[in-house]
Amino acid sequence: MPPWRSAAVDCVASGARYGSALGLGAALPLASRRKTENSRAAAMDHDNSTRHILQGRELIDYLVEKASGATNAELLVREERRNRRMAALLSVLTFFGIGAIVGAIKMFVQNEIEVSEVRVREEVTEALTLEFVQRHDEFQQSVAASIAERVDNEVGAVRAELQNYKLYQELIAHSEGVATNAADGKIAEKSLGHAMDAIAALADVPTIRGQPRFLEAVNVVVDVLVRTDRESAIEKFETLLGDVMATHKDTALDLVDHYGELIISSPYPIERLTTEAAALARYAAAAREHSYPERALMWELFVAYKSNGYSPNRTTESLVEMTHDLSDTDLNELCYQLFLHSHPLHWMNTPDHEGREMARLVNGLMNDHPTLRKILEARAEDPQLATRLAGLVQRRRERSGETTPSETPPAEPAESPTEVAEAPPGPNNTLRR
């Protein structure tokens, strides 16, 4: 039983006991009894139900039930009222509480955001600072390394340039020594070796290989190499400085003579001498560029004559006809070169196979091409050419040991190939030519 129902039963029981004690249960006022009886009779007459008189325990139960109903109703009203107040209070508290909670959450979240932003900003700043420091250090190191490398390169370049310039000066000094000894018919082997080494070292230096004094030094060395028939050294210089040597007039003329004599004196057919033929063609073209067309024409004529087995053909005849297109100066030089190669003692200190083969070719060419002989006879009357030819005859006689006074040379070479072969050797000079 609920506590409120037990309290109501106790209250009713106490009231009944109190009424019995006062005599209300047995001796109610008469008027009240009659009135009560009349009401009951009317009620019984109305619903025709069985009449019941509540006494004792039934009355207590009835009263308890009535009291409990009233009490229950009152309690329900109070409970409802309290619930409404509680609901209102909870609503207010909920409203303000949720707002406060939301506000607190917002404040917490905002605070966390601010803290996170500060922390992230500090971390980013620290990371950027560290990255900047690292990049700055790397950049400084890179710049320092680049500057050091550039300085080293520049210093190295300056050092190399100074070294090359020093070697260049040494080359000039050695070449002068070589030229002085060559003028006396001697070879300064030590100076020549130093000069050759210096030329090989400076051959790939652009700032030096085009210098006029460098080309002059190369010409001195090449002239001695040609006069001593050092073919391997000439081939080395040809590989290193072929294009540069062709730009110097005297060097180009020396080399066109060298390769021409090499081809003519070779026992092999010209078809096998492709390298020498290519070099001869290059320096023949260079001779024409330097205004020496007669030198190129002469070697082209010699090579064509040998290619045809020392006999004339249409090519040699055409080349002989081209001599009419030469100027007087060029024609005089052609006649001088023909007479020069008509005897080995005209241009060699010690005759050898090369000199004899050249004399054989020139004399055969003169005999097979009378036009060329007539040109030589006509040009020999020129005073300047006559003087030069007399000098060749004098040189030949000195080298052969003849003691007769010098005579004016004949208009044409009198030596035959047989006489050339029997010419006595000259003194044993250091230079071959």
Side-chain angles (χ1 to χ4, degrees):
M1 179 183 297
W4 57 268
R5 188 179 181 88
S6 177
V9 172
D10 292 340
C11 181
V12 173
S14 297
R17 286 194 301 270
Y18 181 74
S20 298
L22 293 177
L24 293 176
L28 292 173
L30 181 60
S32 299
R33 287 181 182 177
R34 289 177 180 177
K35 189 175 182 177
T36 302
E37 291 177 355
N38 293 333
S39 298
R40 290 179 178 175
M44 293 177 61
D45 292 336
H46 177 70
D47 53 10
N48 295 321
S49 61
T50 304
R51 295 180 62 187
H52 296 281
I53 297 175
L54 300 175
Q55 296 179 355
R57 185 64 183 175
E58 294 179 355
L59 179 59
I60 292 173
D61 293 337
Y62 175 74
L63 291 175
V64 168
E65 185 178 355
K66 293 292 286 183
S68 65
T71 303
N72 189 24
E74 184 65 23
L75 290 175
L76 289 175
V77 172
R78 291 182 180 180
E79 186 71 18
E80 184 178 358
R81 188 181 300 115
R82 186 178 63 181
N83 290 338
R84 286 198 298 270
R85 288 198 300 269
M86 184 62 68
L89 179 60
L90 290 176
S91 298
V92 173
L93 292 177
T94 301
F95 176 76
F96 289 103
I98 291 175
I101 292 172
V102 171
I105 293 174
K106 288 183 178 180
M107 291 178 62
F108 176 76
V109 171
Q110 184 66 29
N111 184 55
E112 288 296 322
I113 292 175
E114 293 177 356
V115 172
S116 298
E117 288 181 352
V118 173
R119 185 172 62 253
V120 170
R121 190 180 299 111
E122 292 176 352
E123 292 177 355
V124 171
T125 303
E126 182 179 359
L128 291 177
T129 303
L130 180 61
E131 182 71 15
F132 174 77
V133 172
Q134 292 177 349
R135 292 294 179 88
H136 182 67
D137 293 341
E138 292 176 358
F139 177 73
Q140 285 185 332
Q141 293 175 0
S142 176
V143 170
S146 178
I147 293 175
E149 182 180 1
R150 184 171 182 178
V151 170
D152 290 341
N153 292 336
E154 291 181 355
V155 171
V158 172
R159 188 182 296 111
E161 186 174 354
L162 292 176
Q163 183 65 28
N164 291 334
Y165 182 76
K166 178 183 177 182
L167 193 60
Y168 176 46
Q169 296 300 322
E170 293 176 356
L171 168 63
I172 294 174
H174 288 305
S175 66
E176 290 175 353
V178 171
T180 301
N181 283 272
D184 296 333
K186 299 178 182 179
I187 301 177
E189 290 289 348
K190 188 175 181 180
S191 295
L192 181 62
H194 288 310
M196 292 173 62
D197 293 339
I199 291 173
L202 297 173
D204 58 347
V205 181
T207 57
I208 292 181
R209 62 181 287 159
Q211 294 291 330
R213 297 191 68 183
F214 176 76
L215 295 178
E216 288 294 336
V218 171
N219 176 66
V220 170
V221 174
V222 169
D223 180 68
V224 172
L225 295 178
V226 170
R227 293 173 68 180
T228 54
D229 263 354
R230 303 191 184 187
E231 296 181 13
S232 60
I234 296 174
E235 289 299 324
K236 180 180 179 180
F237 280 7
E238 174 66 20
T239 302
L240 295 175
L241 297 166
D243 56 336
V244 175
M245 292 190 299
T247 62
H248 192 274
K249 180 195 69 175
D250 295 335
T251 306
L253 295 178
D254 277 342
L255 291 175
V256 74
D257 290 343
H258 167 73
Y259 285 106
E261 294 163 359
L262 197 64
I263 291 174
I264 299 304
S265 62
S266 175
Y268 301 105
I270 296 178
E271 291 76 12
R272 293 181 57 179
L273 305 175
T274 56
T275 302
E276 292 79 2
L280 176 62
R282 181 169 60 255
Y283 288 110
R288 283 191 171 91
E289 292 178 359
H290 293 297
S291 300
Y292 284 83
E294 77 287 346
R295 191 73 62 89
L297 179 61
M298 180 188 73
W299 287 111
E300 290 170 355
L301 177 60
F302 288 176
V303 171
Y305 188 66
K306 180 183 179 179
S307 298
N308 199 45
Y310 288 83
S311 60
N313 60 5
R314 181 55 187 165
T315 301
T316 59
E317 292 176 357
S318 298
L319 290 172
V320 170
E321 290 177 2
M322 291 174 63
T323 60
H324 297 289
D325 299 329
L326 297 175
S327 64
D328 291 342
T329 302
D330 294 338
L331 191 56
N332 284 348
E333 183 64 25
L334 174 63
C335 294
Y336 175 81
Q337 291 294 328
L338 290 172
F339 190 77
L340 176 70
H341 289 91
S342 66
H343 198 286
L345 289 179
H346 288 169
W347 58 287
M348 302 182 74
N349 289 324
T350 304
D352 58 9
H353 170 73
E354 184 177 34
R356 292 189 294 269
E357 192 66 23
M358 287 298 304
R360 174 171 172 258
L361 182 141
V362 171
N363 286 282
L365 190 64
M366 290 289 187
N367 294 329
D368 290 335
H369 294 84
T371 303
L372 194 59
R373 180 181 293 274
K374 291 180 181 179
I375 292 174
L376 180 58
E377 292 174 352
R379 300 308 303 179
E381 298 178 1
D382 184 271
Q384 293 183 352
L385 179 59
T387 302
R388 295 178 68 189
L389 296 181
L392 291 179
V393 173
Q394 179 65 27
R395 184 186 305 171
R396 180 188 69 193
R397 290 180 176 179
E398 291 175 356
R399 288 173 175 173
S400 64
E402 297 178 5
T403 57
T404 56
S406 61
E407 300 176 355
T408 303
E412 70 278 1
E415 298 84 358
S416 64
T418 304
E419 294 174 342
V420 170
E422 296 176 354
N428 187 17
N429 293 328
T430 304
L431 286 174
R432 192 171 66 89
R433 305 182 188 180

